[in-house]
C-alpha cells in the first residue's frame, strides 16, 4: 500500500505519545452493558426486529435500498407516514427525517445561520453541531456550560456589533451527551423570547428517557411550541438509526432546499424506516421499559450515595452518569478493571473531553438489574478507595 504522508504519521505518533490513540474495540456481549446508548433495550429487542419485518410484509414495502436521494427516487412512502407520526408524537408542526443525527446537525447548522448572524452555543455542544457551524456563515460564540449568566454576557457583548437584520441563535442539548446533565430549559426559553433569539435544542439523549412516553425533556416541560427547532436522533433511546428535525413547515421547506447533508445523500432503506416506525409504536404504548429505566436511575443514585461516590458524579437525572477521574491513564485503568469485573464501563478521554477532565461514562438501561448496578458501583468504590 502507499505510505501515509509524513505529516499525518506524525499526528498519529503524537496521539500515541499522549496515550490517546483511538482504535476500534471488539464488542464483548458477555459484559454487563453500562456503555451503550440503547437505554430502553430497543436495539436488542427481538420483538421489535420481528415487528419491523411483519410491518414491511404487511405493507408490501419491499426493497433493500432506497435507490436514491429523497429528492429524486428515495422518498419511500414510509417517510411520509413517519413524518406525520412524529408531528403527532412530538407535537410539532412539521418534521424532516435525516439519515443520522450527525447529518441532521451538519445540514442544519451549515445552512440555517447566514452571514452576519450570531450563534451562541454551549461549550459542551456535540461535535456534529460544531462541524455544522464551522461549515456555515454565521459567527459562532461559545458560552460556559449551562451558564445563563455567561450566555447573557456574551449576548450583551455582541449586541452593539450585531447588524440590523441579523438573527441570533442559541444552541444547547436537553441532556448533554458526555455529562448527562441539563440546562435550565425553562429559563433558557424565557431568555430567548425576551431577547428575540431562536432556540435550537438537541434532544438526542432525552428521547426515550423523559416524558410520559419518552417524548423528550422539551415536551416533559411543555416547551415544544416555544422552540425554533428540536433535533431528535434514533440511535440512542429509540434503538435504531436516523434522526428528525422537529420544526415549522417553512423551516422544513428551507432545509429540503438548502441542507446539503439532506440533499446529497441516499435516503434510508425501507427496513430502517420500518424499524423506526415500530420503535415509535412501542413508545406510543407507554413502554414498560421507560418506567423500569427510571427505577434503575433512582436505584443507582441511592446506592452511589450510600457508597459515598456521589460527590465524584456530575449531577444527572438522565441515563448518563459521569464519574470524574481527571487523568487519562487512571481513567483507562479504571475502565479496564471494571471490564475485568464484567462491567462494560468506558472511559471518555481527551480530546473527546478537555485534557484533565477524563471520566468514566456510565450509561444505565432498563435491562440492567439491581444486582448488576450494585456490582458495578462496588467495584468502582474499591477502585477509588
Ligand atoms: C447530542 C448528540 N447529537 C447528535 C448525535 C449524532 O447522532 P447520530 O449518532 O445519529 O449520528 C449524537 C451522537 O453521538 C449526540 O450525542
Amino acid at each position: 500500500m502507499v505510505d501515509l504522508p509524513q505529516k499525518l504519521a506524525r499526528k498519529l505518533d503524537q496521539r500515541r505519545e499522549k496515550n490517546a490513540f483511538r482504535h476500534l474495540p471488539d464488542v464483548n456481549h458477555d459484559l454487563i452493558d453500562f456503555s451503550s446508548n440503547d437505554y430502553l433495550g430497543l436495539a436488542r429487542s427481538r420483538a421489535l426486529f420481528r415487528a419491523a419485518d411483519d410491518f414491511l410484509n404487511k405493507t408490501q414495502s419491499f426493497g433493500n435500498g432506497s435507490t436514491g436521494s429523497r429528492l429524486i427516487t428515495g422518498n419511500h412512502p414510509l417517510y411520509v407516514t413517519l413524518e406525520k407520526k412524529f408531528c403527532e408524537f412530538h407535537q410539532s408542526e412539521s418534521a424532516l427525517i435525516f439519515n443520522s443525527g450527525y447529518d441532521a446537525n451538519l445540514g442544519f447548522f451549515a445552512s440555517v445561520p447566514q452571514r452576519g448572524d450570531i450563534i451562541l452555543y454551549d461549550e459542551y455542544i456535540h461535535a456534529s453541531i460544531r462541524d455544522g457551524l464551522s461549515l456555515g456563515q454565521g459567527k459562532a460564540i461559545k458560552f460556559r456550560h449551562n451558564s445563563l449568566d455567561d450566555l447573557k454576557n456574551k449576548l450583551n457583548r455582541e449586541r452593539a456589533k450585531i447588524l440590523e437584520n441579523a438573527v441570533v441563535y442559541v444552541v444547547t442539548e436537553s441532556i448533554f451527551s458526555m455529562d448527562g446533565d441539563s440546562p435550565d430549559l425553562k429559563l433558557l426559553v424565557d431568555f430567548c423570547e425576551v431577547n428575540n433569539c431562536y432556540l435550537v435544542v438537541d434532544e438526542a439523549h432525552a428521547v426515550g428517557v423523559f416524558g410520559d412516553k419518552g417524548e423528550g425533556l422539551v415536551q416533559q416541560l411543555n416547551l415544544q411550541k416555544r422552540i425554533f427547532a428540536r433535533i431528535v436522533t434514533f440511535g440512542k433511546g429509540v434503538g435504531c438509526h436516523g434522526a428528525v428535525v422537529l420544526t415549522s413547515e417553512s423551516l422544513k421547506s428551507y432545509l429540503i432546499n438548502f441542507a446539503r447533508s439532506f440533499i446529497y445523500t441516499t435516503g434510508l432503506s425501507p427496513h430502517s424506516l420500518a424499524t423506526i416506525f415500530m420503535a415509535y409504536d412501542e413508545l406510543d404504548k407507554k413502554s414498560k421499559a421507560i418506567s423500569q429505566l427510571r427505577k434503575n436511575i433512582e436505584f443507582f443514585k441511592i446506592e452511589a450515595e450510600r457508597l459515598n461516590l456521589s460527590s465524584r458524579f456530575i449531577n444527572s437525572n438522565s441515563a448518563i452518569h459521569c464519574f470524574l477521574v481527571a487523568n487519562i491513564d487512571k481513567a483507562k485503568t479504571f475502565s479496564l478493571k471494571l471490564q475485568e469485573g464484567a462491567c462494560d464501563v468506558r472511559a471518555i478521554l481527551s480530546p473527546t473531553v478537555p485534557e484533565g477532565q477524563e471520566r468514566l461514562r456510565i450509561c444505565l438501561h432498563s435491562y440492567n438489574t439491581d444486582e448488576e448496578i450494585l456490582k458495578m458501583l462496588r467495584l468502582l468504590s474499591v477502585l477509588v478507595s
Side-chain angles (χ1 to χ4, degrees):
M1 293 303 284
V2 177
D3 261 356
L4 195 64
Q6 260 202 350
K7 51 186 161 188
L8 303 191
R10 220 173 301 125
K11 285 185 83 172
L12 279 181
D13 285 343
Q14 283 163 1
R15 277 275 160 95
R16 284 193 193 91
E17 281 157 21
K18 286 188 168 171
N19 199 11
F21 189 78
R22 289 177 169 130
H23 61 88
L24 294 172
D26 294 327
V27 178
N28 183 349
H29 289 295
D30 294 335
L31 301 182
I32 305 162
D33 181 7
F34 288 113
S35 63
S36 83
N37 296 320
D38 185 21
Y39 306 126
L40 299 177
L42 290 175
R44 53 172 67 195
S45 161
R46 279 169 199 261
L48 175 58
F49 189 81
R50 276 194 301 271
D53 219 36
D54 289 348
F55 179 83
L56 286 168
N57 280 317
K58 222 166 39 210
T59 54
Q60 302 275 299
S61 300
F62 301 116
N64 299 314
S66 73
T67 79
S69 71
R70 287 190 66 186
L71 281 164
I72 303 186
T73 56
N75 199 33
H76 194 281
L78 259 174
Y79 267 118
V80 181
T81 314
L82 257 179
E83 285 172 349
K84 220 166 122 206
K85 192 177 173 85
F86 292 141
C87 289
E88 284 162 25
F89 186 90
H90 285 295
Q91 298 183 0
S92 177
E93 182 182 309
S94 199
L96 183 68
I97 298 173
F98 281 71
N99 285 1
S100 71
Y102 188 88
D103 285 349
N105 279 334
L106 198 74
F108 187 100
F109 290 101
S111 66
V112 171
Q114 304 293 296
R115 197 175 297 285
D117 291 347
I118 305 285
I119 310 98
L120 295 160
Y121 66 94
D122 188 289
E123 62 180 334
Y124 288 1
I125 209 78
H126 193 259
S128 52
I129 296 176
R130 282 172 186 266
D131 290 358
L133 290 173
S134 70
L135 288 173
Q137 309 271 307
K139 180 175 176 190
I141 299 160
K142 65 180 174 198
F143 59 90
R144 267 207 319 280
H145 182 51
N146 284 340
S147 168
L148 196 57
D149 285 341
D150 197 42
L151 171 61
K152 275 181 200 160
N153 289 341
K154 295 280 158 64
L155 180 61
N156 286 340
R157 218 176 58 192
E158 285 306 308
R159 211 182 276 285
K161 298 181 247 167
I162 293 177
L163 301 173
E164 200 185 321
N165 52 17
V167 177
V168 179
Y169 297 92
V170 173
V171 189
T172 192
E173 292 174 28
S174 51
I175 299 296
F176 275 87
S177 61
M178 282 301 125
D179 290 0
D181 58 348
S182 304
D184 187 329
L185 275 179
K186 170 88 180 54
L187 285 183
L188 203 55
V189 167
D190 290 344
F191 173 86
C192 287
E193 283 177 350
V194 169
N195 290 284
N196 241 336
C197 302
Y198 288 73
L199 180 60
V200 184
V201 182
D202 183 325
E203 288 243 88
H205 295 274
V207 167
V209 182
F210 291 90
D212 246 17
K213 297 179 177 175
E215 300 95 327
L217 191 56
V218 168
Q219 276 171 266
Q220 179 167 303
L221 300 171
N222 197 24
L223 298 170
Q224 59 276 14
K225 299 272 186 293
R226 300 168 66 194
I227 287 173
F228 182 52
R230 284 174 279 165
I231 291 111
V232 168
T233 67
F234 309 135
K236 326 280 182 205
V238 186
C240 34
H241 193 82
V244 63
V245 176
L246 303 165
T247 188
S248 61
E249 199 56 57
S250 46
L251 184 65
K252 173 173 176 170
S253 296
Y254 180 84
L255 292 170
I256 292 173
N257 279 276
F258 293 102
R260 294 169 70 84
S261 64
F262 175 86
I263 300 166
Y264 298 107
T265 189
T266 301
L268 290 169
S269 70
H271 193 272
S272 287
L273 296 170
T275 310
I276 300 165
F277 188 85
M278 295 317 299
Y280 264 79
D281 222 42
E282 177 61 23
L283 294 184
D284 231 349
K285 288 187 233 155
K286 269 198 183 181
S287 172
K288 283 200 190 81
I290 300 174
S291 47
Q292 187 56 51
L293 172 64
R294 297 229 179 93
K295 279 189 199 144
N296 289 353
I297 296 170
E298 217 32 56
F299 179 76
F300 167 88
K301 289 183 69 155
I302 291 168
E303 291 306 313
E305 177 81 49
R306 215 173 47 78
L307 289 165
N308 287 325
L309 293 168
S310 298
S311 62
R312 299 241 333 238
F313 276 107
I314 291 168
N315 189 29
S316 154
N317 293 316
S318 73
I320 304 165
H321 293 263
C322 270
F323 187 80
L324 284 172
V325 181
N327 174 290
I328 196 162
D329 298 325
K330 232 178 182 180
K332 277 184 166 181
T333 310
F334 280 15
S335 158
L336 207 70
K337 293 272 181 219
L338 283 158
Q339 286 174 34
E340 282 167 11
C343 296
D344 189 2
V345 172
R346 303 292 171 90
I348 307 293
L349 309 174
S350 49
T352 302
V353 289
E355 234 171 286
Q357 289 194 31
E358 290 80 6
R359 74 265 320 263
L360 298 174
R361 181 173 181 267
I362 296 167
C363 295
L364 299 170
H365 310 94
S366 56
Y367 48 87
N368 292 137
T369 63
D370 288 357
E371 292 71 31
E372 290 172 347
I373 293 170
L374 262 180
K375 179 186 169 94
M376 178 265 297
L377 284 172
R378 285 190 183 132
L379 279 171
L380 188 58
S381 167
V382 171
L383 284 172
V384 296
S385 63

